[in-house]
Amino acid sequence: MSISNSPEETAAAGAHWARAAKARDVIALIGDLGAGKTQFVKGFVAAIGSEAEVTSPTFTLVHEYNGGRLPVYHFDFYRLERPEAVVGIGFDDYLDAGGVCLIEWGNRFPELLPAHTIRITIASRSETERNITGTTTP
């Protein structure tokens, strides 16, 4: 577990995870609105080596970031109501595409995530402080 005291530290946590990332990794980001999931992704994408501008894919559902050592597929499951909607956006194809899948609200459809999914929880302790905890699924 790490503690973040700012958006920059949350992005640094994302960068830390990116350094160990490999093709076909799946990372489910879990946390309330405003917890820092997108900040985490910003740091992750920058550390992968992409210069893409990272924004939340809340309305587009997925953003693709290229130009780094691995492509990054950034999902947001917040607005999706059924597993069929996730399948409908081609989620399975992205899992096999050779990049890293980062999924905001990754706890919404756990049955769709592969067994090797890494779960990172970002929990607000105060307005500025966050606990960031990563676990893998057995």
Side-chain angles (χ1 to χ4, degrees):
M1 178 176 73
S2 64
I3 295 176
S4 169
N5 293 294
S6 68
E8 294 78 19
E9 288 182 12
T10 301
H16 170 79
W17 282 90
R19 287 189 276 283
K22 57 190 183 313
R24 293 197 167 92
D25 275 354
V26 178
I27 300 174
L29 299 171
I30 302 161
D32 293 334
L33 283 170
K37 296 178 295 294
T38 301
Q39 281 301 123
F40 182 97
V41 175
K42 286 180 181 182
F44 190 100
V45 169
I48 285 288
S50 175
E51 295 182 9
E53 180 181 345
V54 173
T55 59
S56 178
T58 300
F59 295 101
T60 57
L61 306 179
V62 63
H63 287 164
E64 296 183 27
Y65 306 114
N66 295 298
R69 68 178 180 85
L70 292 167
V72 176
Y73 310 116
H74 180 197
F75 294 86
D76 189 324
F77 286 178
Y78 182 74
R79 294 180 64 236
L80 300 176
E81 297 189 15
R82 295 184 327 275
E84 297 80 18
V86 176
V87 173
I89 62 172
F91 183 64
D92 290 340
D93 294 331
Y94 284 102
L95 292 175
D96 294 330
V100 177
C101 293
L102 292 172
I103 307 161
E104 294 193 33
W105 301 95
N107 55 322
R108 292 202 28 103
F109 304 105
E111 68 276 14
L112 297 179
L113 303 180
H116 66 275
T117 298
I118 298 165
R119 286 172 170 73
I120 297 177
T121 301
I122 304 173
S124 299
R125 293 175 54 154
S126 71
E127 192 169 315
T128 58
E129 191 175 35
R130 308 288 189 259
N131 281 343
I132 302 174
T133 308
T135 58
T136 57
T137 303

